[in-house]
């Protein structure tokens, strides 16, 4: 009997797609965009062998993903981008433009072979990640195969780049992302822009969008945040539960590995703990307490997490935003009521809540080249938003020429 139950359970769970779409029913724009998203409306059905959020998340780590070839561009940062000045040199971030995907489609260096009004998708990666991550390459491929120009903003010191000054990235510091986006905007002035962020990159993107919305400078027609740990103190608490400590150690190891390459540069600060102590960290909280919060001058890691949380800024986002969340995500505390309140406070935000899907996962099938549900859902949302913007002006006013963008 136990064997039969165990054998049938995955098939029963995966039998029918499920989803809850939380939006403001009185907002014409969000309703029109959602109507153009068949994948969202159908709901998510996990692969029978991946009904657990842990299995879904583990598959992200194991999945190779499609081949993507990038053309790298370096965006210099001025001394004004440094928390502590006087160390010489200039910081920089890198942009990786998709030039070739596994289907051998050429997209040209920096997208110059595209029409000037071809939509640009800006991608922000997760903690200690970069353009090399499988989930980034999968999403970039989904965009490129639909004719978009995809570009990944790599945080300082990530994706193989060196660190020029003793300051790496943080979840609270949006000035680097802002400079990179302004550079893309200035070099492609007629191209409509959309964005997507994953995990920590989703939090950074959400915070940036809120800041730009508050100042009336939003450059995007639409965006997606995927598995956004919008309340970082709450997310840290989730890593104390269940299998959370295992994920915590894996994430911390990634941080230590990434930042160890830059320990010599960071030593120039002179006011940071010895790197030997930092690299002994076993949790993300320990790492941020010993290193990140000190680089940026916070009194505690908890204070840093509170300041960095995008939950403060999501009500101010001024463009259509898809918030894609799975209830079995190990990093996100249950917050359906909070999402409902957010959609009433800010009708630009549409939350898609699935019972299963894990963290940055949503795998329907197990194949390196098959487009997964989450990628397809987000791309459809962005394309639908571009289509709707032809008939309805952006929430912030004005308009955009999006004819033939995709």
């Amino acid at each position: 009997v136990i064997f039969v139950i165990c054998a049938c359970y995955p098939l029963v769970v995966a039998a029918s797609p499920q989803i809850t779409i939380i939006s403001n029913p009185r907002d014409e724009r969000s309703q029109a965009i959602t109507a153009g998203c068949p994948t969202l409306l159908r709901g998510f059905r996990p692969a029978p062998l991946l009904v657990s959020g842990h299995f879904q998340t583990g598959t992200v780590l194991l999945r190779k993903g499609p081949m993507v070839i990038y053309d790298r561009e370096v965006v210099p940062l001025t001394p004004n981008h440094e928390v502590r000045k006087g160390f010489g040199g200039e910081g920089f971030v890198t942009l990786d433009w998709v030039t070739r995907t596994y289907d051998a489609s050429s997209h040209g260096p920096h997208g110059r072979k595209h029409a000037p009004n071809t939509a640009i998708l800006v991608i922000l990666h997760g903690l200690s990640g970069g353009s090399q991550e499988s989930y980034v390459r999968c999403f970039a491929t989904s965009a490129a195969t639909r004719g978009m120009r995809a570009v990944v903003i790599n945080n300082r010191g990530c994706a193989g780049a060196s660190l020029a000054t003793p300051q790496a990235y943080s979840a609270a510091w949006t000035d680097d992302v802002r400079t990179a986006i302004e550079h893309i905007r200035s070099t492609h002035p007629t191209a409509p822009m959309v964005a997507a962020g994953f995990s920590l990159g989703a939090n950074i993107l959400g915070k940036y969008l809120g800041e730009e919305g508050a100042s009336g400078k939003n450059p995007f027609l639409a965006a997606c945040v995927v598995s956004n740990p919008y309340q970082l103190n709450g997310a840290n608490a989730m890593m104390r539960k269940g299998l959370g400590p295992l994920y915590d150690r894996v994430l911390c190891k990634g941080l230590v590995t990434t930042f160890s390459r830059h320990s010599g540069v960071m030593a120039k600060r002179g006011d940071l703990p010895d790197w030997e102590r930092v690299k002994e960290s076993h949790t993300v909280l320990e790492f941020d307490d010993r290193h990140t919060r000190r680089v940026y001058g916070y009194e505690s890691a908890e204070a840093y997490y509170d300041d960095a949380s995008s939950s403060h800024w999501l009500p101010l986002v001024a463009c259509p935003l898809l918030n894609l969340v799975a209830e079995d995500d190990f990093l996100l505390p249950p917050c359906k009521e909070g999402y409902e309140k957010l959609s009433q406070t800010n009708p630009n935000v549409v939350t898609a809540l699935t019972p299963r899907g894990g963290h940055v996962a949503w795998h329907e099938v197990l194949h390196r080249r098959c487009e997964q549900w989450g990628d397809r859902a987000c791309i459809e949302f962005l394309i639908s938003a571009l289509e709707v913007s032809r008939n309805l002006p952006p929430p912030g006013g004005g308009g955009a020429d999006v004819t033939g963008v995709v």
Side-chain angles (χ1 to χ4, degrees), residues 30 53 82 107 180 291 328 404:
S30 63
E82 305 299 319
H107 301 285
H291 182 73
D328 61 359

Side-chain angles (χ1 to χ4, degrees), residues 212-385:
E212 297 302 281
S215 64
K217 299 179 181 179
N218 169 56
F220 293 108
L221 288 177
C224 299
V225 288
V226 181
S227 301
N228 178 16
Y230 58 100
Q231 294 176 339
L232 295 183
N233 276 308
N236 180 66
M238 288 294 291
M239 288 197 289
R240 309 278 85 77
K241 303 176 181 179
L243 293 180
L246 175 61
Y247 292 108
D248 203 359
R249 280 181 172 268
V250 172
L251 292 172
C252 182
K253 182 179 179 181
L255 282 171
V256 170
T257 300
T258 298
F259 283 83
S260 289
R261 298 174 46 245
H262 312 303
S263 59
V265 177
M266 299 302 298
K268 294 180 181 180
R269 278 283 297 258
D271 61 343
L272 301 176
D274 182 76
W275 184 253
E276 292 301 316
R277 181 169 180 268
V278 175
K279 75 177 186 180
E280 291 175 356
S281 302
H282 296 295
T283 68
V284 175
L285 178 63
E286 286 182 351
F287 182 92
D288 286 333
D289 182 60
R290 295 173 181 178
H291 182 73
T292 312
R293 66 98 172 172
R294 298 173 189 270
V295 171
Y296 286 87
Y298 291 96
E299 292 184 358
S300 66
E302 290 77 11
Y304 159 55
Y305 290 158
D306 181 67
D307 185 53
S309 294
S310 61
S311 57
H312 305 308
W313 295 98
L314 292 176
L316 300 175
V317 172
C319 68
L321 178 68
L322 175 64
N323 177 35
L324 183 57
V325 185
E327 291 182 289
D328 61 359
D329 189 329
F330 75 93
L331 197 58
L332 305 184
C335 194
K336 183 178 180 181
E337 295 79 8
Y339 297 138
E340 292 172 344
K341 182 179 179 180
L342 177 60
S343 69
Q344 298 305 312
T345 303
N346 186 352
N348 290 315
V349 182
V350 175
T351 294
L353 183 63
T354 61
R356 291 170 177 80
H359 189 72
V360 193
W362 289 279
H363 290 109
E364 288 181 311
V365 293
L366 293 174
H367 193 284
R368 64 176 295 182
R369 290 190 178 182
C370 286
E371 185 177 58
Q372 299 299 330
W373 185 91
D375 295 340
R376 187 166 61 253
C378 289
I379 292 293
E380 286 179 359
F381 181 89
L382 297 174
I383 291 176
S384 181

Side-chain angles (χ1 to χ4, degrees), residues 39-40 42-48 50 55-56 59-60 63-66 102 134-143 145-146 198 226 324 357 360-380:
T39 297
L40 279 180
R42 175 174 58 87
F44 172 64
R45 176 168 50 197
L50 301 177
F55 291 163
Q56 286 276 338
T59 301
V60 177
R63 191 181 181 205
K64 292 183 178 180
Y102 69 84
S134 64
Y135 62 86
V136 172
R137 287 184 282 114
C138 288
F139 196 70
T141 297
S142 293
T145 54
R146 288 170 172 81
F198 296 86
V226 181
L324 183 57
V360 193
W362 289 279
H363 290 109
E364 288 181 311
V365 293
L366 293 174
H367 193 284
R368 64 176 295 182
R369 290 190 178 182
C370 286
E371 185 177 58
Q372 299 299 330
W373 185 91
D375 295 340
R376 187 166 61 253
C378 289
I379 292 293
E380 286 179 359

Side-chain angles (χ1 to χ4, degrees), residues 14-159:
S16 60
Q18 294 178 306
I19 194 169
T20 300
I21 297 178
I22 304 171
S23 62
N24 191 321
R26 296 184 298 276
D27 185 69
E28 178 183 5
R29 176 180 300 278
S30 63
Q31 296 304 307
I33 293 174
T34 304
C37 303
T39 297
L40 279 180
L41 297 176
R42 175 174 58 87
F44 172 64
R45 176 168 50 197
L49 296 179
L50 301 177
V51 296
S52 164
H54 299 303
F55 291 163
Q56 286 276 338
T57 304
T59 301
V60 177
L61 301 176
L62 297 175
R63 191 181 181 205
K64 292 183 178 180
M67 180 193 76
V68 174
I69 297 176
Y70 297 105
D71 182 40
R72 175 157 291 187
E73 181 180 9
V74 176
V75 179
L77 304 170
T78 68
N80 291 332
H81 291 81
E82 305 299 319
V83 176
R84 290 279 302 276
K85 300 174 176 60
F87 295 103
E90 288 187 345
F92 64 89
V93 294
T94 59
L95 303 179
D96 281 345
W97 294 83
V98 173
T99 61
R100 207 168 187 82
T101 58
Y102 69 84
D103 62 356
S105 298
S106 177
H107 301 285
H110 299 355
R112 285 194 290 265
K113 292 185 179 180
H114 284 282
N117 68 334
T118 300
I120 293 177
L121 169 64
V122 178
I123 302 174
L124 275 66
H125 61 79
L127 184 72
S128 69
S131 59
Q132 78 280 1
E133 300 295 336
S134 64
Y135 62 86
V136 172
R137 287 184 282 114
C138 288
F139 196 70
T141 297
S142 293
T145 54
R146 288 170 172 81
M148 287 184 174
R149 285 177 285 193
V151 57
V152 184
I153 300 178
N154 296 305
N155 289 324
R156 296 196 200 199
C158 291

